[in-house]
Amino acid sequence: MHHYRRIKRRQLMAICLLIMLLLCLFALLLKSASPNQSKKTVEDFYTLEQKGEFAASWGLLHKDVQARFPLKDYVTDRSHVFMGHFGADTFSFDIEKGEKYKKWRAEPNGQTYKDVYSYTVKQNYQGKYGRFSFVQYVYVTTEKGEWRILWDYRNQN
């Protein structure tokens, strides 16, 4: 009987190890699906912008972009320029996937970001000056395990 308990205990340990291994594999599979999550972050960002929820969309920006545009300034600028000046209440948008970069920089001598996905976003407006579109190049990387948006400043003077 004592021998039987030892076998049961070993079987139980083997089952527990197998479950842990399967959970690790599942976590790896979820991580490999992360490019889809990067695109979802871009979709979420522009959906919030569409609704004029600029404080919420600002929260999806990478901390380095947030440092460049403090929340109050960002909300004021975005609503003033896009909604105020152009006379557009909202816009539609299309997202086109670009490339994956193992290393990427937003500025020539700036920080290097790893595992960055690029997207081209076309925003379509109907305003008091007619129909027009803006194209923005968007880059997405992880920051503390969350996907965050970066913008390209390499060609600024």
Side-chain angles (χ1 to χ4, degrees), residues 68 104-112 152-157:
R68 192 177 194 121
W104 182 83
R105 289 181 182 199
E107 299 178 88
N109 298 317
Q111 176 184 338
T112 300
D152 187 348
Y153 297 103
R154 290 176 289 184
N155 294 327
Q156 281 193 337
N157 294 328

Side-chain angles (χ1 to χ4, degrees), residues 96-101 104 116-120 138-140:
E96 184 179 307
K97 188 168 181 3
E99 301 177 45
K100 178 184 179 187
Y101 300 93
W104 182 83
V116 175
Y117 293 89
S118 69
Y119 298 91
T120 302
V138 179
Y139 301 84
V140 186

Side-chain angles (χ1 to χ4, degrees), residues 13 34 36 45 54 56 66 71-72 75 85 95 106 111 116 119 125:
M13 286 180 64
S34 60
N36 294 333
F45 177 83
F54 301 114
Q66 289 177 345
L71 177 59
K72 182 181 174 188
V75 169
H85 276 309
I95 302 171
Q111 176 184 338
V116 175
Y119 298 91
Y125 291 86

Side-chain angles (χ1 to χ4, degrees), residues 37-94:
Q37 290 299 317
S38 71
K39 184 174 183 182
K40 181 163 179 358
T41 299
V42 175
E43 289 171 359
D44 291 348
F45 177 83
Y46 283 96
T47 298
L48 290 167
E49 295 265 304
Q50 243 180 356
K51 297 175 183 176
E53 296 178 15
F54 301 114
S57 62
W58 183 85
L60 294 176
L61 297 173
H62 192 279
K63 68 177 174 64
D64 296 341
V65 178
Q66 289 177 345
R68 192 177 194 121
F69 302 103
L71 177 59
K72 182 181 174 188
D73 296 341
Y74 181 83
V75 169
T76 301
D77 288 349
R78 298 297 273 199
S79 62
H80 182 72
V81 171
F82 292 111
M83 305 306 180
H85 276 309
F86 298 139
D89 294 331
T90 190
F91 59 90
S92 62
F93 64 92
D94 301 303

